[in-house]
Amino acid sequence: MALLAISVFLTYYFHAILMLGTVFSHFFYIPIILTALWWEKRSILVAIFLGGLVVISSLLYRPELLTLNDYGRALMFVVIAFVVASLSEQLKGREQEVKRQRDLVQRYLDVAGVLFVVIGTDHTIRLVNRHGCEVLGYREEELLGKDWFDTVVPGAFREVRRQTFNEMIARKTSIPGQREHPVVTRSGDELILAWQDTVLTGDDGQPIGIIGSGADITDRIRAEEEMRKAHDEANLYLDIMTHDINNANGVALGYADLLEAMLDGGGQEMVRKLRAGVGRSIEIIQNVTTIRRLHSHETATKPVDLDAVVRAEIAHHPGARIAYSGETVRVMADDLLSEVFANLIGNSIKFGDPGVEIAVRVEESGDKVLVSIEDTGPGVSDAVKPTLFTRFARGTSSRSGKGLGLYITRTLVERYGGRVWVDDRVPGRPGRGAAFRFILPRSSRAREPPASPAPPAACRIVTARP
């Protein structure tokens, strides 16, 4: 309204006082353009008013100076108002659309359960979601425009994080994967975020900042640390217990050997039962140790000489009748493979008669190796077979144990990428002996020459103890 009042005054002053033409009317573009920017199409009314003012004032005060140019200028006022108003509407429409999209994105970010933040190339915070404000303990207006590293990154990590940020901007590539990212809250508490970020680029492909997301894993990290400490403490107690029990078992076996030599008849039978009980204690300790090793190491297989493992286990049973034809083959396993043979051969000896015969067979088939351990013992009934390798499953024999040995066997074989099962040695006749079979992946590496000469016979038999 002030500009329109000035326009009326200028029209009167130039026409009535100075008796000049309409050069002053160039001033009229200012209120026309401003009105078009502010009120869009309503500026046309202002343009018509100012154009009419020019023409009417010329007719009233200097009609002899009124020319076609004056009518053209009045028309130009209307055209300028229309064009600028149209452009202003388009710009405002785009601004509103951008604002709607930004508000929509902000709502999406606000409902997310993790921190989201946009950090500009100048290290300032451009956008942060509601959960991020809650995690950091700030209001949104307190964070926007602040330096991210000076505000929320702990001092010990500040320069390293800043340098990493600058390198990502320079390379236009963020660090892949998730990593731990410490932050400090307004109250001074230090939190650990599971952090991921990506570089944002503009229409010209140049970086404009980084968008990062972080989930608070402080409680999880602390819980894992407490669990790790508890695990280490439990392992310490287990190591002490295992060491002391093994020492006690060793002493008990020593005295049992002395008693067996001193006694006869019923006394020797009692000593043999004592030795069996101590042996059971040793077996329990060995199972516990194996399970601990299974759960404390990652699966990392390597080529293993299967023949050497089999021969080493046979050597532990010099009083058993075990037939084995040497097969130089390498499989993918680890140092615990011997436990598989110890459990299966040990079961055949434990549950078989004194004269039980055991055969170990190795067959190669493509990239697999089939191992069979067959015995002439009492066999495994069909009702027991489906659950035989599950934890704490027991057989029907009075000498059946707790089932940990076969559970460990299955765990190890599956860890190597194979499988294990039990068949009848004579198909369809469970009482004629059992055949434990398992498959192992064959090593793709070339075979290495044996360290010692191969056995001369095709079958090695160890005669049973009388």
Side-chain angles (χ1 to χ4, degrees), residues 89-102:
E89 285 183 347
Q90 293 180 19
L91 289 175
K92 287 186 177 181
R94 292 182 181 181
E95 289 177 358
Q96 291 175 356
E97 180 63 26
V98 170
K99 185 178 183 301
R100 283 196 297 269
Q101 293 296 332
R102 184 184 182 281

Side-chain angles (χ1 to χ4, degrees), residues 6 14 27 79 108 148 208 260 285 318 323 375 390 392 453 461 463:
I6 294 173
F14 275 81
F27 173 82
V79 172
Y108 289 158
W148 167 261
I208 60 175
E260 188 175 13
I285 295 297
D375 63 59
T390 57
F392 301 129
I461 299 180
T463 305

